[in-house]
């Protein structure tokens, strides 16, 4: 069975500061990894995904994530956040060739002016 | 593509009434998921289908909940009878190759 742990439930940060949202996973097989963002009163939308290849993955809105197999981590980073990045962020893992993803509990990112 | 379509967007009903939520997945996607999201419990997977066949319904909270997917372009989630603790946002998502596309959700309030 696979699991996802998002290490921080809430991350407050000032505008233009860097941010890292942490995600660890466990799985006995190869996985796909995803970060989704949920803005207020909306559904989740994909930020970025790791399927294979380069361990550094770039997504939309200036976000990137690094897959670290030895540490079973997939942390999300952005060098300079904006007020509009305030949202909830979900890390998800899917075993390759399986349709179902396991989601973390989410991290609420609050960007302050 | 219009994305995943859910209806209604908002539903207010009284305890004991039947509620039916509807979902139209993205054409060509082979998986469909129903989730429930609340402040207390976060995002919960209720049930998912592969090629219209239910694969895992272990997340369905009670027998009051049922889901169907009669064809590749339509699914329903039914609650009968509804209770106040069912109040939540219900999301439908479809996927192809692991990536999930979420609908805008149905906000259900049971009074």
């Amino acid at each position: 069975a696979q699991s996802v742990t998002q290490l921080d439930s809430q991350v407050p940060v000032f505008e233009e500061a860097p941010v890292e949202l942490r995600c660890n996973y466990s799985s006995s097989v190869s996985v796909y990894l995803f970060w989704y963002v949920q803005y207020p009163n909306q559904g989740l939308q994909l930020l970025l995904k790791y399927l294979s290849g380069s361990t550094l993955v770039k997504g939309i809105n200036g976000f990137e994530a690094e897959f670290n197999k030895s540490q079973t981590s997939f942390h999300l980073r952005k060098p300079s956040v904006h007020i509009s990045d305030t949202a909830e962020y979900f890390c998800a893992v899917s075993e390759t060739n399986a349709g179902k993803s396991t989601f973390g509990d989410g991290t609420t990112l609050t960007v302050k002016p | 593509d219009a994305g995943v379509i859910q209806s209604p967007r908002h539903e207010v009903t009284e305890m004991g009434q039947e509620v039916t939520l509807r979902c139209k997945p993205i054409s060509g996607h082979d998986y469909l998921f129903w989730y429930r999201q609340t402040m207390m419990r976060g995002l919960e997977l209720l049930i998912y289908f592969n090629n219209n066949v239910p694969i895992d319904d272990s997340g369905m909270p009670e027998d009051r909940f049922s889901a169907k997917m009669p064809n590749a372009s339509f699914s329903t989630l039914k609650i009968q009878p509804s209770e106040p603790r069912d109040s939540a946002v219900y999301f439908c998502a479809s996927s192809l190759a692991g990536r999930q596309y979420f609908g805008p959700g149905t906000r259900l309030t049971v009074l």
Side-chain angles (χ1 to χ4, degrees), chain A residues 90-113:
Chain A
F90 292 89
C91 180
V93 60
S94 171
E95 293 180 356
T96 56
N97 301 319
K100 171 186 164 184
S101 289
T102 299
F103 284 81
D105 290 336
T107 297
T108 301
L109 173 65
T110 303
V111 181
K112 305 175 182 179

Side-chain angles (χ1 to χ4, degrees), chain A residues 12-20 78-82 85 111-112:
Chain A
V13 64
F14 287 105
E15 194 174 18
E16 298 184 6
V19 70
E20 178 180 80
K78 185 169 182 178
S80 175
V81 294
H82 303 291
D85 293 323
V111 181
K112 305 175 182 179

Side-chain angles (χ1 to χ4, degrees), chain A residues 36 38 41 44 46 99 103, chain B residues 33 35 37 99-100 102 107:
Chain A
Y36 291 84
Q38 184 180 28
N41 301 313
L44 282 69
L46 185 72
F103 284 81
Chain B
F33 305 83
Y35 293 90
Q37 187 177 40
R99 173 188 170 174
Q100 295 192 22
F102 283 75
R107 183 174 295 276

